[in-house]
């Protein structure tokens, strides 16, 4: 199905104008504040955990997460924010690509929103992913690059953000694991994102969620900060598993995220 009235934000992309979008899913998500989370296909477990927690925090503050439907960071951004998420694809929406993300993509088609410039069963060539990235950026009020090498598609997204005047953020990363985002930070082209609640309130509805008025939960605060399972067990012991049984957190390998 073709989206005839493009969101006005897409006019920011002037060098290669976005002329049309096809969609599947819930167009009402375009009425929400939107933040993009993008990054490496091969990301670390640390990045995975942080992205899941960040996306969940944004969802809880009424913010829709935009990403590119790829494996790695994109997948975890959509998962953490679901169903408040928009997937922008480099292929036509009658095709499912990449196949390893099929389950998630079909969930986006059914319960979130998928967008593409390309019709039918069109399959992408390498340059179409860069074209896709400019749509992700243009749709968003801010762009978070979670992890990226210096020569990567995510750095193309950073370039688009700088050209369009979209605020650019990166996550704390160790030297050698995300040289692209560390370079953006060193150049002053991106801000460091470390307080998820503060960030969400900046771009969300600015209504303090009920749980922020409750007594601070040290375990949940540690999860929000990106602590992995080993770190949580060392600090809180088996209480971590009690939180899982109570449905407060989800444990996936060494990664823990708030539900």
């Amino acid at each position: 199905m073709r989206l005839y009235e493009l969101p006005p934000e897409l006019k920011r992309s002037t060098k290669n104008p976005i002329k049309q979008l096809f969609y599947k899913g819930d167009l009402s998500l375009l009425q929400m504040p939107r933040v993009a989370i993008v990054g490496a296909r091969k990301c670390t477990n640390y990045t995975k955990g942080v992205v899941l927690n960040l996306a969940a925090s944004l969802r809880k503050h009424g913010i829709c997460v935009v990403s590119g439907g790829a494996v790695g960071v994109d997948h975890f951004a959509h998962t953490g924010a679901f169903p408040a998420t928009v997937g922008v694809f480099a292929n036509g929406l009658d095709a499912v690509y990449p196949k390893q993300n099929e389950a998630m993509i079909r969930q986006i088609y059914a319960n979130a929103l998928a967008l593409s410039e390309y019709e039918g069963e069109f399959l992408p060539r390498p340059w179409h992913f860069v074209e896709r990235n400019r749509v992700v950026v243009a749709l968003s009020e801010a762009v978070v690059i979670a992890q990226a090498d210096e020569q990567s598609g995510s750095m193309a997204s950073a370039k688009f953000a700088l050209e369009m005047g979209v605020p650019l953020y990166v996550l704390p990363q160790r030297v050698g694991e995300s040289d692209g985002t560390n370079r953006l930070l060193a150049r002053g082209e991106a801000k460091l994102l470390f307080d998820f609640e503060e960030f969400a309130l900046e771009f969300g509805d600015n209504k303090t969620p009920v749980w922020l008025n409750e007594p601070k939960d040290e375990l949940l605060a540690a999860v929000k900060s990106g602590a992995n399972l080993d770190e949580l067990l060392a600090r809180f012991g088996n209480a971590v598993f009690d939180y899982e049984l109570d449905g407060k957190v989800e444990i996936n390998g060494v990664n823990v995220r708030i539900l």
Side-chain angles (χ1 to χ4, degrees):
M1 195 174 298
R2 188 172 178 178
L3 177 61
Y4 286 96
E5 293 186 15
L6 298 181
E9 302 94 311
L10 295 184
K11 296 178 182 178
R12 291 188 290 200
S13 181
T14 56
K15 291 184 179 180
N16 183 10
I18 300 162
K19 298 178 181 179
Q20 64 179 6
L21 287 175
F22 297 90
Y23 77 93
K24 288 187 177 184
D26 183 4
L27 284 177
S28 70
L29 292 173
L30 294 178
Q31 306 305 314
M32 296 174 65
R34 297 182 298 275
V35 169
I37 304 176
V38 299
R41 287 174 171 80
K42 295 181 179 180
C43 64
T44 64
N45 282 329
Y46 160 78
T47 297
K48 172 185 175 181
V50 174
V51 168
L52 285 168
N53 286 327
L54 171 59
S57 293
L58 293 173
R59 180 197 68 220
K60 290 176 183 177
H61 284 271
I63 299 169
C64 182
V65 170
V66 184
S67 199
V71 298
V73 166
D74 291 11
H75 176 91
F76 303 127
H78 291 307
T79 300
F82 195 84
T85 190
V86 175
V88 182
F89 293 88
N91 53 276
L93 299 179
D94 289 339
V96 174
Y97 184 91
K99 275 293 183 180
Q100 57 264 54
N101 267 5
E102 181 169 3
M104 181 202 72
I105 292 169
R106 293 200 181 279
Q107 288 182 26
I108 290 174
Y109 285 3
N111 299 299
L113 178 63
L115 298 173
S116 174
E117 292 184 87
Y118 311 106
E119 193 170 3
E121 296 185 355
F122 175 86
L123 292 177
R125 301 299 294 270
W127 59 87
H128 293 120
F129 295 100
V130 176
E131 291 181 350
R132 179 271 316 272
N133 291 352
R134 87 193 194 289
V135 181
V136 171
V137 173
L139 278 171
S140 304
E141 296 177 38
V143 174
V144 179
I145 301 184
Q147 180 182 336
D149 293 331
E150 291 199 67
Q151 301 298 323
S152 65
S154 299
M155 293 302 286
S157 296
K159 183 178 179 182
F160 287 132
L162 293 169
E163 289 174 351
M164 297 180 199
V166 178
L168 188 59
Y169 293 82
V170 297
L171 297 176
Q173 291 284 0
R174 293 190 295 190
V175 173
E177 289 189 348
S178 184
D179 289 342
T181 61
N182 287 340
R183 182 74 65 186
L184 291 170
L185 193 61
R187 290 175 178 166
E189 294 173 333
K191 296 180 182 179
L192 185 65
L193 196 173
F194 63 93
D195 187 322
F196 294 171
E197 297 297 337
E198 181 179 308
F199 178 78
L201 287 170
E202 181 176 352
F203 293 99
D205 56 20
N206 288 321
K207 295 178 181 178
T208 303
V210 173
W211 64 85
L212 291 183
N213 293 323
E214 297 173 352
K216 185 174 180 180
D217 187 309
E218 295 293 339
L219 195 155
L220 293 181
V223 173
K224 289 177 185 177
S225 71
N228 64 32
L229 180 58
D230 291 338
E231 294 167 338
L232 293 170
L233 288 173
R235 185 172 172 187
F236 301 103
N238 288 332
V240 181
F241 299 115
D242 293 335
Y243 274 52
E244 182 184 35
L245 291 173
D246 292 339
K248 295 179 180 179
V249 301
E250 178 184 71
I251 299 174
N252 184 4
V254 298
N255 297 299
V256 183
R257 73 180 183 98
I258 295 172
L259 295 175

